[in-house]
Amino acid sequence: MLPVRRTSVCVGLLLALSVDTAIGAGLNANAINVAERSEKDISDTKPTALGVRLQVLLDRVHFSPGEIDGKFGENAKKALRAFAEDRQLPSSSGLSDAVWRKLRTDERPVIVNYTITEKDVAGPFLEKLPSKIEDMKDIPNLNYVSPREELAERFHMGEELLAMLNPGQHFNHAGDSIVVVDTGSDDTPNAAKAARVEVDKVRQTVKLFDKSNGLIGFYPATVGSSEKPSPTGTLKVTEIDPNPNYRYNPDYHFRGVHSRKPFNIKPGPNNPVGTMWINLSAESYGIHGTPSPGKVSKAESHGCVRLTNWDAERVAQRVVKGTPVAFAEAPH
């Protein structure tokens, strides 16, 4: 899979003043906005009010938990650990009182109202996303399959959590009011640039550092696979390509792909590399997005560094051509 220009190769908000959308025991907008630290009120297997608030607060300070699903899972734990280490606070496998006090200084509501717009439901949407990439090559745009998928990704949410917070909502009618999380993102094209990027192949994370060695971004990632490991040493960013095409090279013999001829897949958020490709100075390697944000850190990549689409876009805002990207071999 040789990189060519625009071709990649690896696989209105309002404060919710009185929202009380009941979702099971204790999972509603008001409960989430006021959730406080309690070991019994957080779970790695099911969404909780505290889990949602924790993930949003981490996302706001650029310690991404990946897809916000309300669970205290692997990616949320990674972000929490990195935050504690960066703030020189005691790090543990759980949510410590010291770390929670630091995070909750942001008292803004994490659940807000959003009114669905005509643009949100206009599409076009795919009727179905093929499971095999060979079947994607003739589709003119790898768009979202539904307004729900589009809205969930825009607000960094899992589709399941979005649906749970809005029971009975089909997300296909302009003018409807729904509740979403507010990550309060302040990322802009003028965001401070990273002096270097560090990819931890063991912890499966990406870190961005400024010129004074301060940590300015943390993201969970899928880094390589046993089939095609990620590179070693330090590479450099050579190109930043939003909305990339995807070119499959049969020389790599990826599992499950039987085509003996190269083929291209058109851009779109459900393209195999999502909405962003950051090309690196080793042939066929890059940092990119994904059509499956819930699988980041939980499924192998084809040697590249896979992030959620929104995290890949955040990284792209902070790097330039020539930014060094170091691949770390051991935990530290």
Side-chain angles (χ1 to χ4, degrees):
M1 298 182 300
L2 297 178
V4 296
R5 182 159 183 81
R6 300 195 64 76
T7 299
S8 59
V9 293
C10 287
V11 159
L13 288 177
L14 298 171
L15 286 181
L17 299 178
S18 58
V19 181
D20 189 17
T21 309
I23 315 294
L27 189 61
N28 60 71
N30 286 339
I32 292 169
N33 282 333
V34 300
E36 291 294 342
R37 174 182 173 271
S38 171
E39 294 296 336
K40 66 181 179 63
D41 290 332
I42 197 165
S43 169
D44 61 359
T45 59
K46 63 180 182 180
T48 66
L50 177 59
V52 176
R53 189 180 183 199
L54 172 63
Q55 287 179 309
V56 175
L57 293 179
L58 285 166
D59 196 288
R60 284 180 178 177
V61 290
H62 306 289
F63 287 82
S64 172
E67 183 181 79
I68 295 172
D69 58 7
K71 303 173 186 178
F72 191 48
E74 177 185 355
N75 289 337
K77 291 174 181 176
K78 286 180 182 180
L80 190 66
R81 176 181 176 180
F83 176 81
E85 291 175 349
D86 183 65
R87 299 302 196 270
Q88 298 183 327
L89 297 170
S91 180
S92 68
S93 59
L95 176 59
S96 72
D97 185 57
V99 170
W100 179 243
R101 285 200 308 270
K102 193 73 172 179
L103 280 170
R104 73 175 304 281
T105 56
D106 182 348
E107 296 182 340
R108 294 172 294 167
V110 300
I111 299 292
V112 294
N113 286 339
Y114 176 78
T115 301
I116 297 174
T117 69
E118 293 285 354
K119 184 178 180 180
D120 294 332
V121 299
F125 299 102
L126 294 178
E127 290 187 10
K128 183 180 180 181
L129 180 66
S131 58
K132 296 180 179 180
I133 65 171
E134 294 103 316
D135 297 333
M136 298 179 184
K137 62 180 181 293
D138 297 322
I139 298 176
N141 191 301
L142 270 294
N143 215 327
Y144 297 107
V145 299
S146 67
R148 186 177 86 166
E149 183 187 22
E150 178 183 16
L151 289 165
E153 184 153 311
R154 183 186 311 167
F155 296 106
H156 305 182
M157 300 174 71
E159 286 190 67
E160 180 181 352
L161 179 63
L162 179 63
M164 289 177 69
L165 289 172
N166 297 279
Q169 175 62 250
H170 297 291
F171 307 99
N172 59 2
H173 185 263
D176 283 359
S177 180
I178 60 174
V179 295
V180 298
V181 305
D182 179 12
T183 60
S185 175
D186 60 358
D187 288 321
T188 69
N190 298 319
K193 299 301 182 182
R196 64 184 179 92
V197 178
E198 181 182 280
V199 179
D200 191 319
K201 297 167 68 171
V202 176
R203 290 186 176 179
Q204 300 271 295
T205 61
V206 171
K207 295 180 180 179
L208 274 57
F209 296 89
D210 62 19
K211 60 184 179 180
S212 63
N213 206 38
L215 182 60
I216 59 173
F218 173 92
Y219 312 95
T222 299
V223 185
S225 66
S226 56
E227 177 188 27
K228 191 171 187 290
S230 289
T232 58
T234 299
L235 306 178
K236 290 185 177 181
V237 173
T238 62
E239 185 176 359
I240 300 168
D241 187 12
N243 296 313
N245 287 287
Y246 172 95
R247 179 173 174 79
Y248 176 70
N249 185 339
D251 291 344
Y252 288 98
H253 304 291
F254 289 156
R255 285 195 299 262
V257 184
H258 304 294
S259 175
R260 295 184 179 181
K261 296 181 179 180
F263 57 84
N264 291 319
I265 295 177
K266 298 295 193 300
N270 274 312
N271 176 292
V273 292
T275 59
M276 182 61 65
W277 173 262
I278 302 169
N279 200 62
L280 301 179
S281 55
E283 184 177 340
S284 83
Y285 286 106
I287 300 170
H288 63 83
T290 178
S292 303
K295 294 182 179 180
V296 168
S297 282
K298 303 167 188 175
E300 293 186 334
S301 77
H302 290 299
C304 293
V305 180
R306 181 190 301 153
L307 309 173
T308 65
N309 279 337
W310 56 88
D311 284 343
E313 291 168 8
R314 286 167 157 176
V315 172
Q317 287 180 350
R318 291 180 175 265
V319 300
V320 296
K321 291 182 180 180
T323 301
V325 179
F327 286 77
E329 296 290 341
H332 50 276

